Amino acid sequence: MIPTKELVLEAGNRVAPYVHRTPVLTSRLLDDIAGAKLYFKCENLQKMGAFKMRGAINAIQQLTEEERKAGVVTHSSGNFGQALALAANNLGVTAYVVMPSSAPAVKIEAVKAYGARIVISEPTLEAREREANKIVKETGAVFIHPSNDLNVIIGQGTAALELLEDYPDLDCILTPVGGGGLIAGTALAAHYFGKDCEVIGGEPFAVDDAYRSLRSGKIEDNTNTNTIADGLRTHLGDINFPIIKSLVSEIIRVDEEEITDAMRLIWERMKIIIEPSSAVPFAAVLREKELFKNKHIGIILSGGNVDLLKISFLNR
Amino acid sequence: MIPTKELVLEAGNRVAPYVHRTPVLTSRLLDDIAGAKLYFKCENLQKMGAFKMRGAINAIQQLTEEERKAGVVTHSSGNFGQALALAANNLGVTAYVVMPSSAPAVKIEAVKAYGARIVISEPTLEAREREANKIVKETGAVFIHPSNDLNVIIGQGTAALELLEDYPDLDCILTPVGGGGLIAGTALAAHYFGKDCEVIGGEPFAVDDAYRSLRSGKIEDNTNTNTIADGLRTHLGDINFPIIKSLVSEIIRVDEEEITDAMRLIWERMKIIIEPSSAVPFAAVLREKELFKNKHIGIILSGGNVDLLKISFLNR
């Protein structure tokens, strides 16, 4: 059930004209702090500010001409809505994005600026799904799930594919774990293009559904969503979970203070803006230093879409 | 009196092992806002957070064995102190850095962390120069000026050299203008390696000494230092001014609000942290849109060393 090497390679070629080949940054200071050699793949510098552009492009490109004419639809309060809107815009396809009424106006404006049609729903998952289904029925548009869609998953893996092209000898790659699309895609890329390259997830203790899912063998949910890493509040899906189960070594949990400290280190030392979710894998490395000692570690910095006015360490 | 092409090329090879080849980032959103194609050379992502590492490395490497043994000295309240400290550390040379008693503790700590010997002086230029001269006399260390030193100037030009290697067809390159080292080095690189590539400076109205110097034909001073672009409060020197006079096309002045707006756009849209001085050239492009319309423009983002707690747009 694991997608083939060719699919991953093809996705790399397919997304390349539409995404930035993001830089891989290194920092001697952060290496010293971690006791390891770190290679940060900067998807915060990706178009629309997150890796999600990759999956959206790959998914839309797999559609037939007929399907493209009808358009695409997703529901998202965050980055995937923007990604699908921009990807659809690039490929001349109509995008419908269902957003909860609780979404910040600035995010709604961003999706609108990329030319998508926005449908506002009640702020529950059920209401969002209902609205999306309604659009599918009325317009024939194809529903594309933000993380539990095989083409999206493979597209997200192209960040790790590029990273391994640049640094083929990494001992492991870490990503944050939210809906599971990024880590599943990364695991595929590392499986086919790494040399015994492990893939490890970072997850907040507060929303450790993936950690528990790997232990119980079934998809677990979160009882609360009380974490600063707002991109990681979702749970795994039936398409990405089998890939994660078979190819991800482990998931390391971190607490909220560790996330904020790691984020601050990256802002201050590397001079780049990352969102809290992106700091989670680096926080995991700092928490488990012995495990990573002297290793060559890739870290996917997943995104940089953060409200600058809401960063706690800036407001002391 | 203009240094040769070979000197510039040699400097590129000389500094390469000690500096990051920083990424050149692009942003469709910022291109749309500017009405031009922008290529941002990210020296904010350079070691110690600024281009000044390049000049420091190049200058120390030109010293004789004897001179290296005696060490190097500079006076600086800002990035060049850190740069000389780190460069000297990399090359196994002792660095003495004279810092004014008014310098923030965090900057003094950074210089100390790079292994330099720090001498605190009264917070006037005269006192700093006096202390530096004293060290030269007592230790035989070589004084290296932050911006008015030919090897420093040529070293700073290696950022533009790399940028032109990546994008040989730029119509112009913009830099901020402070002490004049960066713009003079950039002008040399563009002169020898660009194709009719103009070099243009950005300068705050509040400290427009370089703008006035180009008009009067002699080095002018500033009567106040009241700008957020704290790296640009210094004036030109007798070594960089002749280069600037003959190779820089013009200097565009911007006001304080334009600097803050440009800085905010770069933080929010490009997800990178730049210091206020680095926003000045982009502010100049936005101020004079007609002049730059549809052109291919390189912008040197000079540094990212900023106190996150002091950024006004974060504290509304």
Side-chain angles (χ1 to χ4, degrees), chain A residues 36 45 47 61-62 86 105 117 136 196 205 280 293 313:
Chain A
L45 308 180
K47 295 196 183 199
Q61 282 186 317
Q62 309 278 49
L86 179 57
R117 303 194 191 173
V136 169
D196 292 320
F205 271 105
V280 170
K293 199 169 177 183
F313 64 75

Side-chain angles (χ1 to χ4, degrees), chain A residues 20 23 25-26 28 44-45 49 86 90 114 267-268 270-273 304-305 308-309 313-316, chain B residues 20 23 25-26 28-29 44-45 49 86 90 267-268 270-273 304-305 308-309 313-316:
Chain A
H20 288 309
L25 297 182
T26 60
R28 202 191 64 172
N44 57 324
L45 308 180
L86 179 57
N90 284 182
Y114 291 133
W267 282 50
E268 290 192 340
M270 298 186 66
K271 318 295 179 191
I272 55 176
I273 292 171
N305 290 331
L308 294 175
L309 302 177
F313 64 75
L314 298 171
N315 292 310
R316 288 184 315 181
Chain B
H20 289 309
L25 297 182
T26 60
R28 204 191 64 172
L29 274 162
N44 58 323
L45 309 180
L86 179 57
N90 284 181
W267 282 49
E268 290 192 339
M270 299 185 65
K271 318 297 179 190
I272 55 176
I273 292 171
N305 290 331
L308 294 176
L309 303 177
F313 64 74
L314 298 172
N315 293 310
R316 287 185 315 183

Side-chain angles (χ1 to χ4, degrees), chain A residues 9-24:
Chain A
L9 208 53
E10 279 166 26
N13 295 328
R14 207 178 284 126
V15 306
Y18 299 95
V19 302
H20 288 309
R21 184 167 184 122
T22 50
V24 178

Side-chain angles (χ1 to χ4, degrees), chain B residues 5-149:
Chain B
K5 186 173 184 174
E6 285 63 40
L7 278 177
V8 179
L9 208 54
E10 280 165 27
N13 296 328
R14 208 178 284 126
V15 305
Y18 299 96
V19 302
H20 289 309
R21 184 168 182 120
T22 50
V24 178
L25 297 182
T26 60
S27 161
R28 204 191 64 172
L29 274 162
L30 295 190
D31 286 356
D32 288 348
I33 291 170
K37 189 89 196 73
L38 308 174
Y39 300 86
F40 294 93
K41 176 70 172 169
C42 292
E43 290 296 299
N44 58 323
L45 309 180
Q46 187 51 268
K47 294 193 184 202
M48 52 66 56
F51 71 93
K52 301 221 170 186
M53 182 65 182
R54 297 175 180 272
I57 283 281
N58 194 48
I60 297 176
Q61 282 186 316
Q62 309 278 49
L63 301 179
T64 64
E65 266 311 304
E66 281 299 292
E67 288 172 326
R68 286 193 193 208
K69 269 181 201 149
V72 291
V73 54
T74 197
H75 55 76
S76 161
S77 59
N79 286 329
F80 194 74
Q82 284 187 55
L84 195 74
L86 179 57
N89 183 306
N90 284 181
L91 297 166
V93 170
T94 301
Y96 304 86
V97 179
V98 179
M99 301 186 81
S101 54
S102 56
V106 59
K107 291 212 171 179
I108 296 177
E109 282 312 306
V111 172
K112 206 178 279 179
Y114 291 133
R117 303 193 192 175
I118 293 169
V119 177
I120 301 293
S121 79
E122 296 291 303
T124 66
L125 183 60
E126 292 70 31
R128 281 157 55 173
E129 288 177 344
R130 198 167 51 238
E131 286 296 337
N133 283 333
K134 216 172 104 188
I135 295 166
V136 170
K137 272 188 198 141
E138 286 173 7
T139 66
V142 179
F143 179 73
I144 299 184
H145 191 281
S147 55
N148 197 39
D149 174 297

